[in-house]
Amino acid sequence: MEPGVAKKRIAGWGNYPRLACEVHHPQSAREVRRAAAGAPAGGAIARGLGRSYGDPALNADGVVLDLTDLDRFVSFDEATATLTCEAGVSLAQILEAFVPRGFFPAITPGTKHVTIGGCIANDVHGKAHHVDGCFSRCVDSFELLLASGEVVTVSREQDAPLFWATVGGVGLTGIILRATLRLRPIETAYFHKRAVVVDDLDAMLDAIAENDARYPYSVAWIDPLATGRSLGRGVLSVGDHAPLDALPAKLRRAPLKVSAPPAIDVPFELPDFALNPVTLRILNAAFGQILSRGGAFAHYEDFFYPLDMFDHWNRGYGARGFTQYQFVIPLEDGRRRMRELLETIARSGQLPFLNVLKRLGPSNDAPLSFPFEGWTFAIDFPIARGLEDLCRRLDRMVLDAGGRVYLGKDAFLDAASLPPMYPRLDAWREVKRRVDPDERFRSHLSDRVGLTGPLAR
Ligand SMILES: Cc1cc2nc3c(=O)[nH]c(=O)nc-3n(C[C@H](O)[C@H](O)[C@H](O)COP(=O)(O)OP(=O)(O)OC[C@H]3O[C@@H](n4cnc5c(N)ncnc54)[C@H](O)[C@@H]3O)c2cc1C
C-alpha cells in the first residue's frame, strides 16, 4: 500500500454523505493488487468517476481505490466492434476515440463521465432499456481481482454466478481490472428526436407506452410540483439513431463529428437559500420549456448528455448536497401506485427538481441489478430536514407496490428493506461468501444496507 496516504473528505455525485477516506490511485493492475492486499480491517472498495449519487464508492474504515488511472484501451476488433479496455476507461474516452470511426457505446446512462468498472458494478441502464437492457448486455467478459489476490476471467460461460453477482454488485465481489465489450456501429453521431408535451399522468403513461413501441430511446420529464389534475404533466422525449441519408446536407458534411462544447463550470457550491420554492418553480418551468423545443436532429451530446454541459452542476444544490431517489414499480397497478408516489412527493414540502420517468424492460440474471419490467421514476432532492423521513416513507410505498430502489443512487435505504426489494439476494450472498468470505471488499453503502458487516445475514 502507498505509505502515508492522508485521508480526504470525498463523496458521491450528490455530495452526501461526505466521508474522510484514504484514497489510493493505483497506476497498474499490480498496484491495485498491492493496495487491496494491504487494506486495513475495514477493507477496500473500488471507485470510478464518483458519479454514483450516494455512498457505494466510499469506505471510511478501509481504503478507496480510485481506478481512473487504469484508463488504457487494450484492443479493438472492428469487424465485431469488440473493445477490450481497462476498467477506468470512461464513456467520454470511448466516444472521443470511436465515434469518428463509426462506433458508439451500446448502452449509456445520462452522463458520459462514468467508467466501465462503474457501469458494470451498477449495471447501468439508459433511455433504451426497454429495447437494449442494461450495460451487462454489451459485456462479454471481465478480469476480476478477487480477495484472494487471484485474477480471474469471468463471463457468462466462465463462472456465470460470479459474472452475475459482479454485474450490479456495487464493487463487492472484487475489482474489475479490464473488460471486453461490444460497441454499436453507427452511421452518424446524430439522433432523430421528437418531443411530446403531455397534460397529465394517464396521458403521459399512455404516450410512453405508445412511443416505446416505435422508438428505442424514450424518457420523460414531469413537472414535480404539479398536483391534482395536472399531476404528471411534462414532456416525453423520444428518438433514434439518425442514418446518414436522413441527415440534412449541412450535418452530412461531418456526420461523425465529436463535439463536446466546452463545459460551463459551476465554480462553487451555491448558498442553501438559492434553492427555494420560488426558484424551483422558475427552474422547473424553464426546464420544461427547453425540453419541449422542437428540432428534428440532435447531436449525441445534446440528446444523451445535456447535463454534462455544466461541470460540477452538483454544486448547484449547495454545501449540504442532494440525493437522487430512484425506484421501479411493477406495471400491474402501476398507474395508481405511481400517482400516489408522485402526489406524496409533490405534497412533501421538499424541493424536488430534476427527474426522469421511464418504462423499463425485463430484468436480467443479476440478483442486484436494479431494473425490472415496470415504471421507474428518479428525482433529485436537496438534503434538508425531513428528507430522510420522506425517503423512508417512499421506501415503504415502493415496497408495498412490489418495487425497489436503485443502489447506485440511494443514500438512505435501511438493511431491513433490502431483502424484500431484491428477492434473489441469497444467490448473491452465496457468491460473496465464496469469493470474499472475510469481506475484504466493502463500502459505506454495503455496511448500511447489510450487504456486508454486522447487518449482513
Ligand atoms: C448526471 C448523471 C446521470 C446518470 N444517469 C444514469 C442513468 O441514466 N442510468 C443509470 O443507471 N445510472 C445513471 N447515473 C449513475 C451512474 O451511471 C452510475 O452510478 C455509474 O455506476 C457511475 O460510474 P462511476 O465510474 O462514476 O462509478 P462510481 O460512482 O465511482 O462507483 C460506482 C460503483 O461501482 C464500483 N466500481 C467502480 N469501478 C469499479 C471497478 N473497476 N471494479 C469493481 N467495482 C467498481 C464502485 O465500488 C461503486 O460501487 C447517472 C449519474 C449522473 C451523475
Side-chain angles (χ1 to χ4, degrees), residues 12-13 45-53 55-58 65 67-68 87-88 108-111 113-127 144 166 169-172 174-177 307-308 313 324 326 370 406 408-409 443 445:
W13 189 245
I45 194 69
R47 182 177 172 95
L49 279 160
R51 257 41 180 207
S52 295
Y53 283 70
D55 49 359
L58 301 181
L65 304 182
L67 295 184
T68 50
T108 174
T111 172
H113 300 302
V114 286
T115 63
I116 296 306
C119 288
I120 297 172
N122 268 325
D123 201 16
V124 299
H125 59 277
K127 292 181 187 194
L144 190 67
T166 303
V170 275
L172 300 173
I175 298 182
I176 302 161
L177 297 173
L307 289 170
D308 288 348
W313 62 260
Q324 183 171 103
Q326 179 166 7
F370 164 72
Y406 187 8
K409 309 278 180 80
S443 64
L445 167 96

